Amino acid sequence: MQTIETISTLRSEINLWRQQGLKIAFVPTMGNLHQGHIALIKKATQVADKVVASIFVNPMQFGANEDIDNYPRTMAADQEKLLNAGCDLLFTPTPALIYPKGLDKQSYVEVPNVSDGYCGESRPGHFRGVATVVCKLFNLVQPDIACFGLKDYQQVQVIQTMVEDLSMPIEIVPVETVRENSGLALSSRNNYLTAEEKAIAPALSQNIQWLAKEIQNSNDFIGLAKKAASAIDSVGMKTDYIHICHARTLEPASEDDKELVILAAAHCGKARLIDNLQVKLT
Ligand code: PAF
């Protein structure tokens, strides 16, 4: 696996593959890789001939109150994991390469509606930063396919909408969330949890599952979501939001909707954890 830091080398390597007619899958990441990322790489190896990953801790998607400097950076271990998972090329640009004019003068991509609520409300500007960097990375790598983890369900909808709205010729492949045995979704943020916090954190996924069962028999979506939030708070977490939404538009679910998603976020100690579950009503 090659690690490439410059745009010219990235483009020439990828052009060689294109000339050979090879199909390219791309997995953008911010590093500090865990089994959830590895599942993305494995999926990418199944759907394409060549796999490109990127590691870039994107300053544009961090809020002023979010500590980008302390975001875990584990490049050597990440390279080893990518190599073992079958990645062919790793792109590791610097912020100066991606944003040479600085963030203030950078053009950006804003994806309306799906970016607005939930994590978009709790983290203003976050999805603008995600859409902009992913658009830019797509233009650099020009993949046929890109794989994203469903743990970040709203992010997947933002990217899918961007690709459709801007006619990008890229297939987005969502990949199932990888979980610990306790049900806790794998996330780099789990590193911030103490042993006590780790013991209570599965309450997030447990209550989402409870809610998924309840809404099969009742359309009191708001009342049931409030109950789930109280149950999450009762173990010592602090619910940021828990909502039942239309699976594609992310609008609050109406009585007639059948394809739903439960989206939730909760603070657990220093970590803000997110999780979700897609639900089909019968
Ligand atoms: O999911 C992530 O790790 C990031 O939001 C992404 C997609 C790599 C963009 O920086």
Side-chain angles (χ1 to χ4, degrees):
M1 182 186 76
Q2 293 187 71
T3 299
I4 288 178
E5 290 169 13
T6 66
I7 291 173
S8 54
T9 325
L10 176 74
R11 286 205 196 277
S12 56
E13 284 302 315
I14 288 184
N15 279 343
L16 286 178
W17 291 341
R18 289 239 160 271
Q19 281 159 17
Q20 294 167 48
L22 298 174
K23 197 179 230 191
I24 298 168
F26 178 44
V27 180
T29 82
M30 298 208 301
N32 194 228
L33 304 181
H34 50 63
Q35 284 306 315
H37 297 107
I38 300 310
L40 300 180
I41 302 286
K42 293 250 165 80
K43 182 71 189 181
T45 63
Q46 289 161 11
V47 294
D49 304 307
K50 292 286 178 189
V51 177
V52 179
S54 63
I55 295 181
F56 178 61
V57 183
N58 173 32
M60 206 196 255
Q61 70 189 77
F62 283 76
N65 58 340
E66 296 174 346
D67 192 0
I68 186 171
D69 295 334
N70 281 329
Y71 195 86
R73 287 160 171 89
T74 50
M75 187 59 81
D78 290 349
Q79 282 170 313
E80 173 103 23
K81 287 177 192 168
L82 289 170
L83 174 70
N84 292 336
C87 180
D88 297 289
L89 190 159
L90 171 62
F91 180 48
T92 58
T94 58
L97 194 73
I98 296 292
Y99 302 120
K101 292 187 278 186
L103 290 182
D104 293 347
K105 299 201 176 92
Q106 170 69 39
S107 305
Y108 57 80
V109 180
E110 189 95 55
V111 183
N113 305 320
V114 282
S115 298
D116 294 343
Y118 322 114
C119 283
E121 198 173 322
S122 307
R123 305 180 69 191
H126 171 70
F127 287 120
R128 174 194 289 184
V130 170
T132 301
V133 82
V134 171
C135 173
K136 187 140 185 165
L137 291 166
F138 279 179
N139 284 334
L140 291 168
V141 175
Q142 300 193 351
D144 300 287
I145 295 169
C147 300
F148 290 87
L150 278 167
K151 198 218 16 122
D152 297 295
Y153 189 91
Q154 190 175 5
Q155 171 170 280
V156 176
Q157 301 313 315
V158 169
I159 306 288
Q160 181 66 54
T161 305
M162 172 182 79
V163 162
E164 285 168 20
D165 287 357
L166 301 181
S167 307
M168 296 177 172
I170 300 171
E171 183 192 347
I172 302 303
V173 174
V175 178
E176 280 306 322
T177 303
V178 180
R179 297 177 181 279
E180 296 197 353
N181 289 338
S182 66
L184 178 65
L186 295 196
S187 163
S188 304
R189 285 155 199 266
N190 295 354
N191 293 337
Y192 299 125
L193 299 173
T194 63
E196 291 78 30
E197 287 159 2
K198 200 142 189 213
I200 62 170
L204 184 59
S205 64
Q206 284 158 7
N207 281 290
I208 292 174
Q209 295 214 7
W210 173 83
L211 192 50
K213 282 206 194 94
E214 294 297 312
I215 60 176
Q216 290 292 350
N217 303 313
S218 161
N219 56 20
D220 177 17
F221 295 157
I222 294 179
L224 287 167
K226 271 192 186 150
K227 273 195 188 166
S230 304
I232 293 165
D233 293 348
S234 72
V235 300
M237 296 170 85
K238 174 86 195 78
T239 305
D240 180 358
Y241 64 77
I242 180 158
H243 292 294
I244 301 154
C245 316
H246 184 282
R248 181 63 188 94
T249 65
L250 306 187
E251 295 287 336
S254 74
E255 282 179 24
D256 300 330
D257 292 336
K258 297 285 177 225
E259 309 265 331
L260 307 179
V261 62
I262 301 170
L263 298 178
H267 295 274
C268 187
K270 280 198 209 120
R272 182 175 172 283
L273 306 178
I274 61 171
D275 205 347
N276 65 79
L277 186 61
Q278 282 173 268
V279 185
K280 276 198 173 84
L281 292 188
T282 46

